[in-house]
């Protein structure tokens, strides 16, 4: 039980990597607030978790770009569970287009959700983490937070930014016993990267050139989030933690 007695807030927890993280955290003894805009999917996940672990999950409506949403989410979670010991800034969106075809509204929306949303999370939850006596913040970068890619201008800018924000927050919050790290997933099987009409063979062809020759399951990323959230990573702060199947090891095989 790596998270026994801890209270965690997982943004974007309704589906994908966030949902896998919420399930794993509860299995490891945490009480988890699933914070998302997708009320229906989040409520279904809460019902699933509660059936096996009564009192362990709570849905909190949250648009990560709204400071007032963040403030009321923290109030609701503290009232139900007490101070927050783990914040997972997982919510994110992607828009793919060449820079010349990318309108400024779309660029701003990606930055607002991924980067400003993470900033607001750190800012609004830190007082609660202090009330908990310290804790861990896990931010979500991406392999596109370490290298560029055609069509990924907005997404890569947001994910590079998250790594800078993570390091600055680690320096500021370390003295208060709050660790801040970034997880760097590679291609992971979720709705975010689903392409209409693609078969498994299409995905295998796309990812087969990388060392592990496949996409990750969301649980494989969630296990890294668990490590960073728990005391197992007690001397880790300000770092980037790759779960990328070797994507960043070097050039793909021919
Ligand atoms: N899937 C991948 O290949 C991959 C790779 C690298 C990094 N990531 C990162 O992992 C994180 C999770 O991605 P995923 O693949 O599970 O995606 P997903 O699309 O399956 O889930 C994202 C969740 O975030 C929520 N969300 C989006 N905007 C929100 C907002 N404004 N407020 C609150 N919630 C919001 C969505 O409702 C959804 O539940 C993201 O930060 C993503 O950038 C994913």
């Amino acid at each position: 039980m790596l998270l026994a007695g801890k209270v965690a807030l997982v943004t974007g927890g309704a589906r994908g990597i966030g949902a896998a993280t919420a399930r794993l955290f509860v299995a490891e003894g945490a009480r988890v607030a699933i914070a998302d805009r997708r009320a229906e999917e989040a409520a279904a996940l809460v019902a699933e978790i509660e059936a096996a672990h009564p009192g362990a999950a709570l849905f909190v409506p949250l648009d990560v770009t709204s400071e007032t949403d963040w403030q009321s989410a923290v109030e609701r979670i503290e009232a139900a569970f007490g101070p927050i010991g783990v914040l997972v800034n997982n919510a994110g969106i992607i828009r793919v287009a060449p820079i010349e075809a990318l309108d400024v509204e779309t660029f701003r929306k990606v930055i607002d959700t991924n980067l400003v949303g993470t900033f607001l999370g750190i800012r609004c939850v830190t007082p609660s983490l202090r009330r908990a006596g310290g804790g861990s913040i896990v931010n979500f970068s991406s392999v596109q937070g370490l290298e560029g890619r055609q069509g990924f201008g907005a997404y890569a800018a947001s994910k590079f930014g998250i790594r800078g924000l993570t390091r600055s927050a680690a320096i500021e919050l370390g003295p208060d016993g709050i660790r801040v790290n970034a997880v760097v997933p590679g291609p992971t099987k979720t709705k975010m990267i689903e392409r209409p009409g693609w078969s498994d063979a299409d995905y295998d062809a796309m990812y087969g050139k990388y060392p592990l020759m496949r996409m990750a399951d969301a649980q494989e990323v969630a296990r890294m989030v668990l490590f960073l959230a728990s005391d197992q990573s007690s001397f880790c702060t300000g770092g980037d933690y790759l779960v990328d199947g070797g994507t960043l090891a070097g050039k793909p095989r021919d």
Side-chain angles (χ1 to χ4, degrees), residues 155-245:
Y155 187 74
S158 74
K159 295 298 184 178
F160 269 77
I162 285 168
R163 293 174 49 246
L165 180 63
T166 298
R167 286 163 194 227
S168 298
I171 293 165
E172 291 178 18
L173 301 179
D176 294 330
I178 300 170
R179 299 181 295 105
V180 192
N181 291 289
V183 63
V184 180
T188 307
K189 248 180 259 163
T190 69
K191 294 243 184 267
M192 176 176 273
I193 61 163
E194 258 180 28
R195 301 199 181 189
W198 272 40
S199 67
D200 285 350
D202 293 322
Y203 291 108
D204 288 348
M206 177 146 180
Y207 298 112
K209 59 190 176 200
Y210 295 111
L212 295 186
M213 302 179 69
R214 62 176 178 85
M215 284 188 280
D217 282 322
Q219 293 92 322
E220 294 178 284
V221 180
R223 286 201 290 271
M224 178 62 88
V225 183
L226 171 65
F227 169 71
L228 294 172
S230 77
D231 295 340
Q232 295 284 302
S233 58
S234 52
F235 202 56
C236 303
T237 198
D240 301 323
Y241 290 82
L242 271 60
V243 197
D244 74 335

Side-chain angles (χ1 to χ4, degrees), residues 83-183:
I84 298 163
V86 176
L87 167 64
V88 181
N89 281 311
N90 158 81
I93 59 169
I94 193 167
R95 298 288 182 274
V96 180
I99 289 163
E100 286 182 289
L102 192 62
D103 59 79
V104 70
E105 289 75 24
T106 305
F107 186 86
R108 285 203 170 111
K109 188 170 168 58
V110 172
I111 298 292
D112 203 24
T113 304
N114 297 357
L115 183 54
V116 179
T118 300
F119 159 73
L120 285 174
I122 296 170
R123 195 148 78 85
C124 296
V125 179
T126 290
S128 189
L129 288 158
R130 283 208 184 90
R131 285 192 282 277
S136 171
I137 299 175
V138 183
N139 297 327
F140 265 69
S141 184
S142 160
V143 289
Q144 260 66 65
L146 282 135
E147 66 174 18
R149 186 169 166 192
Q150 188 181 357
F152 280 63
Y155 187 74
S158 74
K159 295 298 184 178
F160 269 77
I162 285 168
R163 293 174 49 246
L165 180 63
T166 298
R167 286 163 194 227
S168 298
I171 293 165
E172 291 178 18
L173 301 179
D176 294 330
I178 300 170
R179 299 181 295 105
V180 192
N181 291 289
V183 63

Side-chain angles (χ1 to χ4, degrees), residues 15 17 36 38 62-64 90 140 155 159 188 190:
R15 71 180 198 190
I17 298 168
D36 208 299
R38 293 175 185 275
L62 174 75
D63 179 339
V64 293
N90 158 81
F140 265 69
Y155 187 74
K159 295 298 184 178
T188 307
T190 69

